[in-house]
Amino acid sequence: MTMHSTTCTAVFLSWFLAICTIVQGGTNSVLLGAAAATTDNPDNSGSHNHNNNATQRYSCPTALTTTAENDHFDDYWATYETMNERNLQDLQGFRNRGYDWRRASYTKMKRDTAPFKRAYFGNVVQSGDHIYESASGQGLNLLMTVENLYEQDGVANLTLHGNDYLEQSVAVAHRLYDQEAQPWFDVGHVCPGDSTNLRHVPDNTFDLAYTGFIDPIMDPLNLLGEHATMELTESLIAHLCQSQDELHQELAQLAQERQEDWHAKWVSELLRIVKPGKFVVVEDLGWPACTEITDWAGLDPDWWPRAIEKYKWPVDPKSIAIVKYAWYVDRYNVRLQKLPDDNDNANDILDAEQLNRESAQLYDQYKQEWKKENGRAEDEEEWDEDEEEWDEDDEEEEDEDGSKGEL
């Protein structure tokens, strides 16, 4: 999300500065929400098969009984709810319309994300594995991942698991997986759940755990209260970042630290549920708000080694792989390895540093193949910074009969 440079109204600024005075006077206005609590229900994971004893140790919760920290603003969820309604009405056409909130279709995103998926998922996942996506939404990213790995590299019999905070999104995901069922992948538990508190999922369960996007906290210092919207949040963050006032700079730093703690909760849960020696991937990360690459919530790539120490993650900093501009100019992806157990067989442990070198080489190779397949010169830039996505015609190709089909 690109931060707008709009100016807050005089009324809003007066109100905001009054709040700042309270903060300066010693009142901490940061409000921490409760992590979502859940109750268990073995029948809420859909009608799919479950093949792995480890993943049968848990069941889906019936419902979310409390709110997560970023669930205070109807404005933020409106886009997701619109997408859910659209897919519930016409799921058959999902491949050729906008993927999530993007202009690009599912078919285009599948093609454009393939180089990263193959290079950074493909060499740490093997046939028969169980993979988990936190905040899996309508299930599109998981489906896209397994389709790329199977169609491009023959990785088969993966079992998909995930969660999403919106129960309607989980319902869409189950319908999608029933519609797109194939003999080369299976679906395990896809549950309603808070990605910062996956207490229904046992430790050390999955061969890969990832998230396609971490929803940031809107208004992280609760300065806007009930008036918070995405537009006002962007305006507020822009004002704090651009201000020379010392208090405003301190507030901007506090807001960034709040976002970092929020992101860390997601990653901590992913590290908890992935098996020792296996990998966690976080896709589609933005840079911090007060940077040249503007976004109203994100993480500096240099934050990850510091986070390992701060949050006591079981991760070797040498295992961190940062992939900038994987499919957006203002975004990056990260992969890291959970430390193996002491009793793990040394021959079974994947060498993260070697894998990172191999992944980087594969990624370069697959990008070049992508360029050739899509009519690009080898030295042509992948990115159109004005469009902030792959510089390619968004229109789907037409089949011989004139209908639009998969590219």
Side-chain angles (χ1 to χ4, degrees):
M1 187 184 308
T2 303
M3 185 171 61
H4 302 297
S5 59
T6 56
T7 303
C8 300
T9 65
V11 173
F12 166 70
L13 278 177
S14 298
W15 176 57
F16 163 66
L17 291 174
I19 295 175
C20 291
T21 302
I22 295 174
V23 175
Q24 194 172 31
T27 301
N28 187 349
S29 65
V30 180
L31 299 183
L32 300 180
T38 58
T39 55
D40 292 338
N41 173 18
D43 299 321
N44 199 32
S45 58
S47 58
H48 313 283
N49 296 323
H50 308 283
N51 296 330
N52 185 289
N53 289 333
T55 60
Q56 289 187 36
R57 290 181 294 162
Y58 76 94
S59 57
C60 283
T62 54
L64 299 167
T65 59
T66 59
T67 57
E69 294 175 38
N70 66 336
D71 183 11
H72 301 294
F73 313 106
D74 293 339
D75 175 75
Y76 188 77
W77 301 114
T79 300
Y80 292 103
E81 292 168 353
T82 298
M83 292 185 296
N84 284 333
E85 290 295 337
R86 179 181 61 186
N87 278 326
L88 285 171
Q89 292 173 9
D90 177 26
L91 193 56
Q92 293 290 335
F94 78 95
R95 292 184 183 272
N96 292 325
R97 61 169 171 255
Y99 170 73
D100 284 348
W101 59 87
R102 302 166 174 88
R103 295 192 306 274
S105 67
Y106 174 95
T107 296
K108 180 179 184 298
M109 286 297 299
K110 175 182 170 182
R111 186 172 65 248
D112 293 351
T113 59
F116 176 82
K117 299 279 191 182
R118 296 176 64 195
Y120 284 88
F121 285 56
N123 69 344
V124 298
V125 171
Q126 58 187 355
S127 294
D129 278 354
H130 287 246
I131 64 175
Y132 189 99
E133 185 187 9
S134 177
S136 52
Q138 303 163 2
L140 296 172
N141 193 312
L142 263 175
L143 181 65
M144 179 183 298
T145 299
V146 296
E147 286 184 344
N148 269 322
L149 294 179
Y150 176 75
E151 294 167 4
Q152 302 288 340
D153 300 306
V155 180
N157 301 321
L158 295 176
T159 302
L160 316 185
H161 304 261
N163 72 279
D164 197 78
Y165 191 70
L166 298 180
E167 294 184 54
Q168 191 180 46
S169 295
V170 176
V172 174
H174 285 301
R175 185 178 296 185
L176 174 73
Y177 297 143
D178 285 336
Q179 173 182 294
E180 301 299 314
Q182 296 289 342
W184 40 265
F185 77 86
D186 194 13
V187 180
H189 295 85
V190 179
C191 308
D194 175 5
S195 293
T196 67
N197 183 19
L198 300 172
R199 71 178 186 87
H200 62 283
V201 182
D203 299 352
N204 308 323
T205 298
F206 299 100
D207 301 291
L208 174 78
Y210 83 103
T211 183
F213 181 70
I214 295 180
D215 284 298
I217 294 180
M218 188 183 298
D219 186 23
L221 299 181
N222 198 36
L223 296 174
L224 300 174
E226 63 182 12
H227 303 282
T229 63
M230 294 176 67
E231 183 177 1
L232 275 180
T233 297
E234 292 177 348
S235 297
L236 172 58
I237 295 299
H239 176 78
L240 294 178
C241 290
Q242 296 166 8
S243 175
Q244 300 301 311
D245 182 86
E246 183 176 350
L247 173 59
H248 293 179
Q249 293 177 6
E250 291 176 1
L251 287 172
Q253 180 59 36
L254 281 174
Q256 178 59 33
E257 292 173 1
R258 183 78 173 86
Q259 294 288 1
E260 291 171 358
D261 289 342
W262 169 250
H263 283 69
K265 289 181 179 181
W266 289 57
V267 177
S268 295
E269 284 293 83
L270 291 172
L271 286 167
R272 181 182 64 78
I273 67 176
V274 78
K275 294 176 181 177
K278 300 298 185 177
F279 288 80
V280 163
V281 177
V282 181
E283 299 177 322
D284 211 7
L285 285 157
W287 270 258
C290 298
T291 61
E292 292 184 5
I293 302 178
T294 54
D295 204 300
W296 62 275
L299 305 170
D300 193 295
D302 293 337
W303 174 81
W304 292 90
R306 300 195 302 271
I308 292 172
E309 181 177 358
K310 178 177 180 180
Y311 303 105
K312 309 301 180 185
W313 288 340
V315 173
D316 184 345
K318 295 180 181 178
S319 74
I320 298 172
I322 302 290
V323 183
K324 297 180 180 179
Y325 319 134
W327 44 83
Y328 292 108
V329 69
D330 59 349
R331 297 281 170 167
Y332 71 93
N333 299 343
V334 61
R335 186 180 73 182
L336 47 130
Q337 183 185 37
K338 183 175 180 177
L339 290 173
D341 284 342
D342 292 337
N343 57 356
D344 285 341
N345 188 331
N347 293 328
D348 295 333
I349 302 303
L350 299 173
D351 184 335
E353 292 184 80
Q354 176 62 29
L355 284 170
N356 287 345
R357 289 191 290 270
E358 292 176 358
S359 291
Q361 293 172 356
L362 288 170
Y363 185 52
D364 287 340
Q365 173 189 331
Y366 296 150
K367 283 199 299 183
Q368 295 304 322
E369 292 174 359
W370 181 94
K371 292 175 183 178
K372 291 179 180 179
E373 290 172 1
N374 291 279
R376 288 178 172 274
E378 287 200 9
D379 60 349
E380 188 175 355
E381 292 292 331
E382 293 102 302
W383 310 106
D384 181 338
E385 297 192 10
D386 292 330
E387 294 295 330
E388 293 186 350
E389 54 187 334
W390 293 90
D391 183 19
E392 185 188 359
D393 187 1
D394 283 345
E395 295 297 324
E396 296 86 357
E397 292 179 355
E398 293 188 355
D399 296 330
E400 291 184 1
D401 62 359
S403 63
K404 290 185 178 180
E406 183 174 344
L407 301 183

